[in-house]
Amino acid sequence: MKKFNIRKVLDGLKEQASSSVSSGQSGAPENNLMHETLQSENFQLCKTVRHGFPYQPSSMAHDPVQKILAIGTQSGALRLFGRPGVECYCQHESGAAVISLQFLINEGALVSALADDSVHLWNLRQRRPAILHSLKFNRERITFVHLPFQSKWLYIGTEKGNIHIVNVESFTLSGYVIMWNKAIELSSKAHPGPVVHISDNPMDEGKLIIGYEAGIVVLWDLKSKKADYRYTYDEAIHSVAWHHEGKQFICSHSDGTLTIWNIKGQGKPFQTITPHGKQPKDGKKPEPCKPILKVEYKTTRLGDPFMILSGGLSYDTVGRRPCLTVMHGKSTAVLEMDYPIVDFLTLCETPYSNDFQEPYAVVVLLEKDLVVIDLAQNGYPIFENPYPLTIHESPVTCCEYFADCPVDLIPALYSVGSRQKRQGYSKKEWPISGGNWGLGTQSYPEIIITGHADGTVKFWDASAIMLQVLYKLKTAKVFEKSRNNKEDKQNTEIVDEDPFAIQIMAWCPESRKLCVAGVSANLIIYRFSKQEITTEVVQLLEVRLQYEVNDMESPPEGGGGGDRDLPTPGAASPSPQTTGPPTHPSTSSNSSDGVRDNVPCLKVRSTPLKQSSGYQVELVVQLVWVSGEPPQQITSLALNSSYGLIVFGNSNGLAVVDYLQKTVLLNLGTVELYGSNDPYQRQARSPRKTRQPAGGNGLCDINEGSASEDRCKSPTSAKMSRKLSLPTELKPDLDHRDNSFSRSRSSSVTSIDKEAREAITSFHFCETFARKGDSAITPCLYVGTSLGTVLAVALNLPPAGEQRLLQPVIVLPSGTLARLKGSILRMAFLDNTGTFLPPAFETWYEPNAAGADSEERDKARKRRPVSVSPSTSQELQESQYAVVCSEKQAKVIALPSQNCIFKHSITETSFVLRADVVQMNIGNCVACFCANGHIMTLSLPGLRPLLDVNYLPLTDMRIARTFCFTNLGQAMYLTSPTEIQRITYSQETCENLQEMLGELFTPVETPEAPNRGFFKGLFGGGATSLDREELFGETQAGKASRGLAQHIPGPQGLEGMKGAASGVVADLARARIALDERGQKLGELDERTAAMLASADSFGKHAHDMMLKCKDKKWYQF
């Protein structure tokens, strides 16, 4: 990340910047009255943590002493997991796939081998792991890596069949090389293929077993540098595993067989097993099966050994899910997995390979999941995974992020969510339990909400840089499952797949009200209850929201849409209600001429709905087909619990719904909001004319020609709509977006026709001045459009209590507040001291309470008063400030005078994707994320640039769809389909981040080596050690070939090595460094001594010459 703002200069030029962007109206001195507390020193951008399942995993390793797990991915990422809450993310700069990982067990270090033939040593003893050394191979491709326990010599097998040895302390190559042509039979003419396995004999470190892909296994004697035995099989080898006594090993093959070999029996295998093959009765060879990709052979002290393998199913099991097979004694268990198996590891009680292994669990890495199986319990149950790895259970379509929530919210969600947990998990504790939690200083609650393609909504506790799922809501239960007949398919034809996908969410944390908008032009309003209920009939509203310009009379300004928009008192019946013409029943999908009309995209269930504690459906709102045109997707949504209203908009217009009275209050085309003061000349467009169905994914209709095919794609595709006014595809040529404001005044017919589809892009409920010059504040709704217009709508609410449920809410459009360049993204309000004014809300109450609780419920329903005292003398001081941010600009407007006092051009060449007015610890600011990757913050109300960092170029629509800012300097986005990346733009959080991160490495004593026993010690037969230092060192093995590999020191260099704490490798490394430093200092001292001797000799010579010259001279000759 390259910062290009100069903080001090920006602060020094704030007056000049303010005056240069000021509109020149009477409000310029107000910044002097309002002290801006936020400065550029308060901002710094950095990544905090990454949550979720590692995207496209490729390898895995486990440290049995530290009890930590490492996963490598195809994009060069490393994810390290300890106990729940201890996670770490690292990234190799090259981005090449991680093909192998090896822990230096209990040393706090990890070796990674990548597909670009580089090997790296990571230091895990610091909170943010870093690379100490790298080695890049130039001539050979790496295929396998092996590091024996408590050894500093790393074996690297290559595609050519050779084995090289690397010293992990210095990361230099040894001169000892095992060449493939010396390992195989001299008479063999064929190349044995790449090295697929290397491991030393558990009982003899001097014997190395090498597996070649072609089917040859070699037992290599390291001391004599020759092959002791060779084992040949006519099928390709995928993996090899030892019995702990070192007398047998097992190979897995490409034909689905396992071969067990005695090390002294070279001719043929001791035993051949085909775990999933059908055994013919006539004694012939069983039918071939799929390859067994990996096998592990683990022994127990008291029972039969375990053979665990992946793959090997017969070819006739078409469509069967991937399986892990556990063979224990005479029993064989086939465990089906949801996704293909990438790798698996058996967790054992001991790190020593020459002892009984005592396996207790198997970690299975799948393409999209991590499963841990309990081997100690009957039926092999899985452990309940405590990591937040289910973000992608269904693809994420939208996100919202809330910091500093009410303190009782997380316990309430956890309480109802804990009842949703599955049963049947292992009763043991999660076995990956290493590391320590960080000392977090952040105490405020944080919640992330994710909406998914299958209609689920998940609530996550994101406090203190951790992530834990709290509660899961399934919105699809409200609708009937579509049958596969033609009639139903026609009704839902506007969505190709995922008809229940969540598009936008609006949530009020204080009242716990939730509203979700789906991709099928539907809304569901939920209330939170701790009591279980059964809803006999799901209450439904159907809305006709259409766009017509021709033959339309503009309503008088401030007059709304006429009487048809006002509900009748007491209209709270659950029957379908709409605005406009009377609705036909939903069953009559076609009118007399065969055109679909008044048909919703989804059918609400007609049977009683049992709703458990948590979020319960209060009302469903559906947009319907109008005269053969499908409803446009919803592009903006807002909810206010104090007013009891929701408002939603799309490219046709907006609708205001009273969810307490279950009525539609306002149903207007966007043009009608302007009344007679519409500044844009729009082309008349009749829905009766022959044309393609309107589309554009609920956004501005930029691509008219492709509207029918792009009409309502799944949000999981790249054409997912966004509640911000994004184009349906992020095209690189954004020229047509750069002049959206001036373009609206063009006289071109095509331009006007495009602009006729003015979409609603944002809403904001507030208590403010509805019109210019008003003296009192009233409840209002502010509306932002894709043409950069901000319009005000006044709300006349009846008194709280019973009257609120009986008397109608009156909604009156009040004219235009401002116009900006680009679509309106965000609006907010400040009081006359610059303090943020949140929308009014009600506190949560139990909606299903009865009897004595009803009085408290009525008290809670009263609107929270907003303390704003308008000044009597408006010449001296304005009462409020409206902050409006669009794709291009930000403006601060004084109210009620409606003077623009500050204006700032955010970007000229790009456009803003997400903007929010956020509260920091000591003030408020505007935070923006642009399509060119810049993250910016602007002061309030002066709109001074405080931060501008080129952070993340927009490479994927997913980032634009999921990027969120929230209060206290926090932000997040989906960095991959399975992972959430959290970032901070707060200097304070960046400084405290080191303490908040967990520690992966904790000092743990290495278990004692197994006892050899009296007789083995007396007569031999126990494990024999090898002096690898003598064998592989430079004195005996010589130097490696120079051009074979290039050593690259890590970015930390010497300091990184010094930072490593105690341990075998670390102590040796520090001793080596100390010797190097001492030798260097001694060398410098020697050089200085030699220089002084030479200087003394020179001085003596000159003195002697002078003495000889002056010897015979008299005093008067001088």
Side-chain angles (χ1 to χ4, degrees):
M1 294 185 297
K2 183 183 176 184
K3 293 188 180 180
F4 55 84
N5 65 317
I6 307 171
R7 292 177 172 176
K8 297 291 184 183
V9 173
L10 288 175
D11 286 339
L13 295 176
K14 65 180 180 180
E15 293 299 327
Q16 182 184 343
S18 297
S19 60
S20 64
V21 298
S22 173
S23 62
Q25 301 184 28
S26 63
E30 293 174 33
N31 195 33
N32 300 329
L33 301 175
M34 211 179 301
H35 177 63
E36 292 185 1
T37 51
L38 285 174
Q39 304 297 329
S40 52
E41 286 82 4
N42 301 122
F43 295 92
Q44 182 183 342
L45 194 68
C46 67
K47 292 181 180 179
T48 51
V49 284
R50 183 172 290 201
H51 304 294
F53 183 77
Y55 184 56
Q56 294 180 331
S58 54
S59 57
M60 178 172 61
H62 179 253
D63 186 327
V65 180
Q66 287 289 319
K67 296 189 183 299
I68 56 177
L69 185 76
I71 296 175
T73 73
Q74 292 181 25
S75 60
L78 272 181
R79 292 286 298 280
L80 296 132
F81 297 91
R83 65 178 60 193
V86 178
E87 292 182 37
C88 184
Y89 160 74
C90 314
Q91 177 69 46
H92 294 90
E93 281 187 17
S94 67
V98 181
I99 58 173
S100 182
L101 293 170
Q102 293 281 314
F103 274 104
L104 277 69
I105 293 174
N106 206 27
E107 294 294 336
L110 175 73
V111 172
S112 60
L114 308 189
D116 65 353
D117 309 309
S118 60
V119 187
H120 308 270
L121 177 66
W122 290 84
N123 176 18
L124 306 183
R125 291 173 177 255
Q126 54 198 59
R127 291 176 191 260
R128 284 188 178 273
I131 291 176
L132 296 175
H133 292 287
S134 298
L135 198 64
K136 180 76 167 67
F137 280 75
N138 299 321
R139 299 178 191 164
E140 299 193 48
R141 305 297 310 270
I142 298 172
T143 56
F144 196 85
V145 175
H146 172 63
L147 180 67
F149 179 42
Q150 293 183 329
S151 166
K152 69 174 185 178
W153 298 97
L154 177 74
Y155 301 105
I156 296 178
T158 69
E159 196 174 43
K160 288 184 178 178
N162 305 324
I163 294 175
H164 302 278
I165 300 168
V166 175
N167 184 324
V168 292
E169 286 179 14
S170 60
F171 244 55
T172 53
L173 276 171
S174 166
Y176 192 112
V177 182
I178 303 173
M179 304 299 288
W180 68 270
N181 53 356
K182 292 185 178 179
I184 65 169
E185 296 272 5
L186 293 175
S187 58
S188 175
K189 295 179 181 178
H191 190 276
V195 176
V196 295
H197 182 83
I198 309 168
S199 60
D200 43 358
N201 188 318
M203 287 296 179
D204 188 353
E205 293 177 354
K207 308 288 185 184
L208 197 69
I209 203 161
I210 307 165
Y212 293 97
E213 190 181 67
I216 300 170
V217 178
V218 176
L219 187 67
W220 182 265
D221 189 317
L222 289 166
K223 286 183 180 176
S224 63
K225 300 183 182 180
K226 64 182 181 66
D228 279 356
Y229 299 105
R230 296 179 180 91
Y231 317 88
T232 306
Y233 193 71
D234 55 0
E235 292 292 339
I237 292 175
H238 284 279
S239 71
V240 183
W242 279 103
H243 187 282
H244 84 274
E245 291 179 346
K247 295 176 181 177
Q248 283 185 338
F249 62 89
I250 184 169
C251 300
S252 71
H253 298 277
S254 58
D255 64 344
T257 59
L258 298 172
T259 54
I260 300 174
W261 302 78
N262 289 326
I263 59 169
K264 293 186 179 178
Q266 322 178 49
K268 60 179 182 177
F270 167 73
Q271 187 180 359
T272 303
I273 308 167
T274 309
H276 297 287
K278 295 177 183 176
Q279 300 290 339
K281 293 180 181 178
D282 53 4
K284 292 182 180 178
K285 196 175 180 181
E287 292 179 5
C289 296
K290 295 175 183 177
I292 296 176
L293 301 176
K294 185 175 181 179
V295 64
E296 291 203 346
Y297 195 16
K298 303 297 179 183
T299 54
T300 58
R301 201 174 296 274
L302 300 176
D304 295 313
F306 282 88
M307 277 195 287
I308 303 163
L309 54 111
S310 64
L313 296 177
S314 62
Y315 281 103
D316 59 5
T317 55
V318 179
R320 188 170 181 179
R321 293 193 293 180
C323 294
L324 186 83
T325 306
V326 181
M327 301 171 70
H328 184 221
K330 294 182 180 179
S331 71
T332 300
V334 181
L335 310 175
E336 288 193 341
M337 302 291 158
D338 291 333
Y339 305 102
I341 297 171
V342 175
D343 196 4
F344 72 88
L345 293 170
T346 310
L347 307 188
C348 302
E349 297 288 353
T350 176
Y352 294 95
S353 59
N354 59 355
D355 194 10
F356 287 98
Q357 303 298 292
E358 304 295 344
Y360 60 89
V362 182
V363 182
V364 188
L365 178 63
L366 308 176
E367 279 187 3
K368 294 184 179 179
D369 202 2
L370 182 73
V371 176
V372 181
I373 299 162
D374 186 353
L375 290 178
Q377 288 188 35
N378 290 332
Y380 304 128
I382 65 171
F383 288 86
E384 185 177 8
N385 196 322
Y387 303 137
L389 303 182
T390 58
I391 293 169
H392 64 287
E393 199 170 23
S394 172
V396 176
T397 54
C398 58
C399 298
E400 294 296 338
Y401 190 7
F402 299 87
D404 206 12
C405 300
V407 291
D408 59 342
L409 197 50
I410 289 176
L413 288 166
Y414 182 80
S415 173
V416 295
S418 60
R419 301 171 200 174
Q420 299 176 327
K421 290 189 176 178
R422 285 172 48 195
Q423 303 297 319
Y425 289 112
S426 169
K427 296 176 182 177
K428 293 184 179 178
E429 288 193 4
W430 182 250
I432 303 161
S433 55
N436 284 322
W437 292 306
L439 303 171
T441 55
Q442 289 180 337
S443 57
Y444 52 85
E446 296 174 76
I447 290 178
I448 291 173
I449 309 178
T450 54
H452 298 263
D454 64 352
T456 55
V457 176
K458 289 182 183 177
F459 291 79
W460 305 82
D461 177 7
S463 309
I465 70 170
M466 294 173 69
L467 195 71
Q468 180 185 9
V469 68
L470 292 171
Y471 174 71
K472 182 177 172 181
L473 171 66
K474 295 180 179 179
T475 65
K477 290 200 295 188
V478 177
F479 303 102
E480 289 184 1
K481 291 181 180 177
S482 60
R483 298 180 296 275
N484 289 328
N485 59 36
K486 290 183 180 179
E487 184 183 342
D488 280 346
K489 196 155 187 179
Q490 282 179 349
N491 286 355
T492 59
E493 189 69 25
I494 72 158
V495 176
D496 297 337
E497 55 185 12
D498 300 326
F500 308 115
I502 307 298
Q503 192 166 6
I504 313 173
M505 298 176 291
W507 188 51
C508 176
E510 289 80 12
S511 66
R512 305 181 191 173
K513 293 280 185 184
L514 173 69
C515 183
V516 296
V519 76
S520 296
N522 59 281
L523 289 112
I524 313 174
I525 297 120
Y526 289 92
R527 61 190 178 190
F528 186 85
S529 174
K530 295 181 180 178
Q531 299 178 14
E532 190 175 293
I533 61 166
T534 300
T535 304
E536 295 298 326
V537 179
V538 176
Q539 299 198 347
L540 169 66
L541 278 177
E542 292 182 351
V543 179
R544 289 171 65 91
L545 199 57
Q546 65 187 100
Y547 175 82
E548 290 185 64
V549 175
N550 60 316
D551 304 326
M552 182 188 74
E553 293 182 9
S554 298
E557 185 180 1
D563 294 337
R564 66 182 176 86
D565 298 319
L566 304 181
T568 54
S573 67
S575 61
Q577 297 187 25
T578 68
T579 58
T583 240
H584 301 292
S586 296
T587 51
S588 68
S589 61
N590 297 331
S591 60
S592 57
D593 57 354
V595 176
R596 280 201 294 274
D597 196 38
N598 290 318
V599 184
C601 301
L602 299 175
K603 199 173 283 187
V604 175
R605 64 184 291 166
S606 54
T607 54
L609 176 64
K610 185 179 180 182
Q611 305 198 71
S612 54
S613 58
Y615 275 100
Q616 298 170 352
V617 180
E618 187 167 351
L619 177 67
V620 177
V621 181
Q622 287 186 296
L623 297 183
V624 295
W625 287 68
V626 177
S627 305
E629 276 207 11
Q632 298 293 300
Q633 289 183 354
I634 293 163
T635 57
S636 51
L637 174 67
L639 159 77
N640 189 283
S641 58
S642 177
Y643 306 157
L645 303 178
I646 60 160
V647 58
F648 59 93
N650 60 14
S651 59
N652 286 338
L654 65 90
V656 181
V657 173
D658 181 344
Y659 63 78
L660 298 176
Q661 295 187 21
K662 313 291 189 292
T663 56
V664 178
L665 302 175
L666 186 72
N667 177 8
L668 282 182
T670 318
V671 184
E672 296 177 274
L673 278 171
Y674 291 97
S676 59
N677 298 324
D678 185 3
Y680 309 114
Q681 297 178 3
R682 305 169 198 269
Q683 183 183 14
R685 185 168 180 224
S686 168
R688 301 291 179 190
K689 293 179 182 177
T690 305
R691 66 182 184 277
Q692 296 198 351
N697 284 349
L699 300 171
C700 293
D701 224 347
I702 291 171
N703 295 320
E704 295 279 340
S706 62
S708 60
E709 60 186 32
D710 292 346
R711 184 167 56 236
C712 286
K713 289 280 187 183
S714 160
T716 55
S717 72
K719 295 188 177 72
M720 164 64 182
S721 84
R722 176 77 168 110
K723 68 177 176 183
L724 309 181
S725 176
L726 281 174
T728 52
E729 301 170 45
L730 280 174
K731 302 178 179 63
D733 51 332
L734 301 169
D735 299 337
H736 65 282
R737 302 188 56 77
D738 291 339
N739 298 310
S740 58
F741 186 58
S742 59
R743 183 183 60 198
S744 63
R745 286 156 175 74
S746 168
S747 59
S748 164
V749 175
T750 54
S751 175
I752 294 171
D753 186 43
K754 289 179 182 178
E755 293 309 325
R757 305 289 290 192
E758 182 178 8
I760 305 293
T761 55
S762 63
F763 295 111
H764 188 77
F765 284 104
C766 50
E767 300 208 359
T768 184
F769 303 94
R771 293 176 178 83
K772 186 173 183 177
D774 277 4
S775 58
I777 60 169
T778 56
C780 291
L781 168 67
Y782 273 67
V783 181
T785 76
S786 58
L787 294 189
T789 307
V790 179
L791 300 137
V793 178
L795 306 172
N796 191 348
L797 296 164
E802 283 188 24
Q803 293 183 55
R804 172 64 184 86
L805 299 176
L806 299 174
Q807 295 182 19
V809 178
I810 299 172
V811 183
L812 299 171
S814 304
T816 304
L817 172 72
R819 292 192 182 95
L820 281 76
K821 187 178 177 181
S823 299
I824 303 296
L825 302 183
R826 189 69 64 218
M827 296 171 281
F829 287 81
L830 310 175
D831 68 10
N832 53 12
T833 63
T835 306
F836 179 75
L837 290 176
F841 58 82
E842 68 174 11
T843 54
W844 177 80
Y845 61 89
E846 174 55 62
N848 299 319
D853 295 335
S854 59
E855 290 182 12
E856 292 184 15
R857 183 180 67 185
D858 289 340
K859 287 179 185 177
R861 299 192 70 149
K862 291 185 179 179
R863 293 203 312 276
R864 186 180 71 89
V866 178
S867 56
V868 176
S869 52
S871 171
T872 54
S873 174
Q874 291 180 12
E875 287 81 18
L876 296 176
Q877 185 174 343
E878 301 283 1
S879 296
Q880 285 186 358
Y881 300 97
V883 182
V884 185
C885 189
S886 76
E887 290 176 324
K888 298 285 187 179
Q889 293 178 313
K891 283 186 180 182
V892 174
I893 299 159
L895 298 176
S897 68
Q898 296 190 2
N899 291 330
C900 176
I901 58 170
F902 294 106
K903 180 169 68 174
H904 179 75
S905 178
I906 299 172
T907 175
E908 291 294 337
T909 57
S910 184
F911 58 96
V912 179
L913 290 164
R914 178 83 185 212
D916 284 287
V917 176
V918 293
Q919 301 173 66
M920 305 291 284
N921 281 329
I922 58 169
N924 307 310
C925 67
V926 180
C928 306
F929 172 54
C930 291
N932 60 8
H934 285 249
I935 290 178
M936 293 177 264
T937 59
L938 306 172
S939 71
L940 284 177
L943 299 179
R944 288 181 299 113
L946 299 174
L947 174 78
D948 191 341
V949 177
N950 188 1
Y951 170 70
L952 177 80
L954 185 65
T955 54
D956 200 317
M957 188 66 187
R958 177 184 58 253
I959 298 169
R961 196 170 65 235
T962 57
F963 198 100
C964 300
F965 290 105
T966 189
N967 294 332
L968 302 170
Q970 307 295 329
M972 62 151 282
Y973 60 93
L974 237 71
T975 185
S976 75
T978 63
E979 296 167 289
I980 285 175
Q981 178 67 57
R982 291 166 68 182
I983 61 176
T984 182
Y985 48 96
S986 162
Q987 172 69 27
E988 183 184 355
T989 307
C990 288
E991 288 176 355
N992 297 329
L993 184 60
Q994 198 70 10
E995 294 179 8
M996 295 163 64
L997 294 172
E999 289 180 307
L1000 284 166
F1001 180 81
T1002 51
V1004 179
E1005 293 239 351
T1006 303
E1008 288 187 12
N1011 191 358
R1012 291 175 67 186
F1014 175 73
F1015 290 105
K1016 284 186 178 178
L1018 190 64
F1019 300 110
T1024 57
S1025 60
L1026 172 74
D1027 187 354
R1028 294 188 179 96
E1029 184 71 37
E1030 181 186 347
L1031 193 61
F1032 302 144
E1034 195 173 305
T1035 51
Q1036 188 167 336
K1039 290 186 177 181
S1041 171
R1042 282 192 176 185
L1044 181 61
Q1046 175 190 0
H1047 177 257
I1048 306 165
Q1052 287 192 333
L1054 209 61
E1055 293 301 319
M1057 291 298 285
K1058 285 180 179 175
S1062 60
V1064 176
V1065 174
D1067 287 340
L1068 287 168
R1070 282 203 308 279
R1072 189 185 188 93
I1073 292 164
L1075 284 170
D1076 288 346
E1077 289 177 346
R1078 186 167 176 265
Q1080 188 177 350
K1081 288 175 182 176
L1082 285 171
E1084 290 172 359
L1085 182 63
D1086 196 31
E1087 288 173 4
R1088 284 202 300 271
T1089 306
M1092 287 174 69
L1093 281 170
S1095 178
D1097 287 343
S1098 176
F1099 179 77
K1101 185 180 177 184
H1102 283 301
H1104 183 70
D1105 290 345
M1106 182 65 73
M1107 184 267 295
L1108 292 174
K1109 188 176 180 181
C1110 302
K1111 184 178 180 183
D1112 298 326
K1113 288 187 177 182
K1114 303 295 181 182
W1115 64 271
Y1116 52 83
Q1117 292 177 319
F1118 286 101

